[in-house]
Amino acid sequence: MFSAGAESLLHQAREIQEEELKKFCSRISKLLQTEDLGPDTVDSLQRLFLIISATKYHRRLEKTCIDLLQATLSLPACPEQLQVLCTAILREMSPCDSLSLAWDHTQNSRQLSLVASVLLAQGDRNEEVRAVGQGVLRALESRQPEGPSFRHLLPVMAKVVVLSPGTLQEDQTTLLSKRLVDWLRYASLQQGFPHSGSFFSTPRARQPGPITEVDGAVATDFFTVLSTGHRFTEDQWLNVQGFSMLRAWLLHSGPEGPGALDTDDGSEQEGSMLSVISATSSAGRLLPPRERLREVAFEYCQRLIEQSNRRALRKGDSDLQKACLVEAVLVLDVLCRQDPSFLYRSLSCLKALHGRLQGDPASVRVLLPLARFFLSHGEVAAVDSEAVYRHLFTRIPSEQFHSPMLAFEFIQFCRDNLHLFAGHLSTLRLSFPNLFKFLAWNSPPLTSEFVELLPALADAGTALEMLHALLDLPCLTAALDLQLRSLPAPSERPLWDTSLRVPSCLEAFRDPKFQGLFQYLLRPKASGTIERLAPLHQLLQPMASCARVAQCAEAVPTLLQVFFSAVTQVADGALTNQLALLLLGRSDSLYPAPGYAACVHRVLSSQFLALCKLKPSLVVELARDLLEFLGSVNGLRSRASLVTSVVWAIGEYLSVTYDRRCTVEQINKFFEALEALLFEVTQCRPSATLPSCPPQVVTVLMTTLTKLASRSQDLIPRTSLLLSKMRNLAQSPASSSTHSEEGVEAIRTRATELLTLLKMPSVAQFVFTPSVEMCSPRYHHDANTALPLALRTVSRLVEREAGLLPG
């Protein structure tokens, strides 16, 4: 969330029109052509960057302005702040055909890195990524003193490796591997010199001190990213940047990457043997460059794990320890996949690390890469992976659901490692109630992640419980909010909406009478039982206006569609029936968030039709339940879409064509129920408590009654009389107060068409209940077949009948 001032600036930037932007660019062009690039130029460039970055669509700048921005970026004496601003604007404009930056003519290393970032933002036009990569490598091969050039260009090289892995040749890969070994293993252990000294300071006082550990002790081992000091030398900065690109480089240059294996098979085998016995530095130099780099990377990660045991003096260093642990474990995972000999050397320290971090709530993010390591190597390492996953999926979501970064990383971990779960997939599926806590609390950013993850979680054994959980997701959000409010006051800023006062909800949350329902709603894993949470819907209604609850409610319809798409792939006949019954039963039992029921009903109605299409016999098998559903018109207007779908499905699938068990008695029962429903929804008494019914429900009811009459012809006279009444009712003045003019016309037209069809029972049966053969595409493509002819004949009859009507 932005502050009010920031929101105002963004709004102003988005409201600027093209003409205003054109005038502003002209002013900037004049400023860039002056010799004195002062504060006015900086301020104007900052404003321009805000304008073009505040909108999601592409802003257009004059070619003159773009050319001047490029020229300013290439000036050797240009202030660094101006160069950075020009770079940011040009990157925001990319891809742009007007760019003509020259990589080869740039000498300053900082300018090289800025120009490269603009070229890489262009995409791989004219093989610019390869050109940038070759330029950086030429700088590395120049053997200049290891100054700022390498420091600024290494991040560019890391980006090139990711964007275009095939850019480097074999000798270039070897060169960079050697340089990385030097930077990672042999950085100085003395702090850097200060930039300038005081006049009164003595040469002895200005001597750099030794590098220290995070706990203040003097470092006795080699320098790493966790080493601390007041100032760093250039090789120490290269050490830090080398570690940041190490994992990407190992993936690029290892056996799985474009670099393939080292050319000398014997040396590769020798390297594996030496790595098992922890080669000394002198023996390690005998290894080929890539194997030597792996050995150094392993030592570096081991050193980071050792440094993480130290108690940091500053909170920033403590956070850095956790971040480095995450990266170290990921690097070790890559090393073990490339060379299994590293696995046996890593296991003892990683098991100890996992045992140490299990009980530390502040280190839960480190447990994810550890779990992935054991997921990848558990069988070989003889690790009890089940215990690792049980802890991961049980405690962490329940205790840390309110951490947005952890929530994203946790769900991403589940999504990206589905192929590795194999025998542990049941553990993941049974943990869906806990995973839904992340979703309920962080629904806007996590919805797209769950769209990908949900199909893997959907299982026939937990489908019904999961569907209930999805429908109750906004209720879960409210319960999680209450759970946080009921905890002792935290030291940091509250994680809930402090403007919302809900004392009655908090009392209910603590009330022993409702503890069972809240415990079920907040359960950590699937229980195999279904609890009706309607009492909680009413208790938590005051929280329906909470922004977090509203955001969660908006995500549910999308997730429901994904769920049904997945579960119908594994559902048998019995489960399909149960899902259909659940849809009907939950249609009037939803959390009362604003607009939530209407959106969910639209999804439920479409999915009910999909279930009927999947299993047409569902209508006959659930006849009693469908009749009970139609027997009540309470809340018909709010459930109009679902009622319409149920009525349409009855007319479509209640037929011997789809189920031989369908009887005339069943058809008559449904006819009577639908006739009574039609009468109820079309009565026009001023004192009626029933709301007006949408015309779509009326037209579908009439059509379904006509379909049933065509299958039981004793009902035709009764249906004709009913349709005549509906046509007359549509023409009466009273109907205009209930329906719109378009709705009245739709009802009148449909009644007329159906009456015309019923005058020819054989044609009506042919149209409303076609055989399976007539539903084949041939009857729709070939104009000489029976169905097109019948439709044309019926159309002429309907038109002639309509022409005889008065008015």
Side-chain angles (χ1 to χ4, degrees), residues 459-461 463-464 567 570-580 611 615:
D459 177 64
L464 298 176
V567 81
V570 297
D572 57 11
L575 180 57
T576 302
N577 286 2
Q578 291 174 316
L579 289 170
L611 292 175
K615 185 187 178 186

Side-chain angles (χ1 to χ4, degrees), residues 303-321:
R303 169 108 166 95
L304 288 177
I305 293 174
E306 180 272 325
Q307 287 177 299
S308 70
N309 286 321
R310 298 175 180 270
R311 186 179 182 85
L313 300 179
R314 295 188 296 269
K315 184 180 184 301
D317 290 337
S318 177
D319 294 337
L320 183 62
Q321 281 179 310

Side-chain angles (χ1 to χ4, degrees), residues 353-361 363-364 367 387-388 391-392 395:
L353 179 65
H354 183 266
R356 176 166 62 88
L357 299 180
Q358 258 188 325
D360 183 9
S363 302
V364 291
L367 294 177
V388 175
H391 173 265
L392 194 68
R395 290 190 55 187

Side-chain angles (χ1 to χ4, degrees), residues 266-278 287 291 294-295 338-342 345:
S267 62
E268 178 74 36
Q269 189 175 14
E270 176 189 357
S272 298
M273 294 171 60
L274 287 172
S275 63
V276 176
I277 59 174
S278 299
L287 295 172
E291 287 192 10
R294 291 184 207 130
E295 185 67 33
Q338 291 182 349
D339 186 350
S341 64
F342 287 112
R345 300 165 60 186

Side-chain angles (χ1 to χ4, degrees), residues 101-106 112-113 115-141 153 156-157 159-161 163-169 172:
L101 285 170
W103 166 268
D104 296 333
H105 302 298
T106 309
L112 281 173
S113 65
V115 170
S117 68
V118 176
L119 292 175
L120 293 179
Q122 282 283 96
D124 199 9
R125 293 187 174 190
N126 303 319
E127 296 189 348
E128 285 172 341
V129 174
R130 179 180 294 273
V132 171
Q134 293 300 321
V136 173
L137 285 168
R138 281 196 296 273
L140 293 175
E141 292 169 350
L153 295 179
V156 178
M157 192 69 248
K159 189 71 173 177
V160 169
V161 168
L163 292 177
S164 181
T167 298
L168 307 185
Q169 300 173 0
Q172 295 171 331

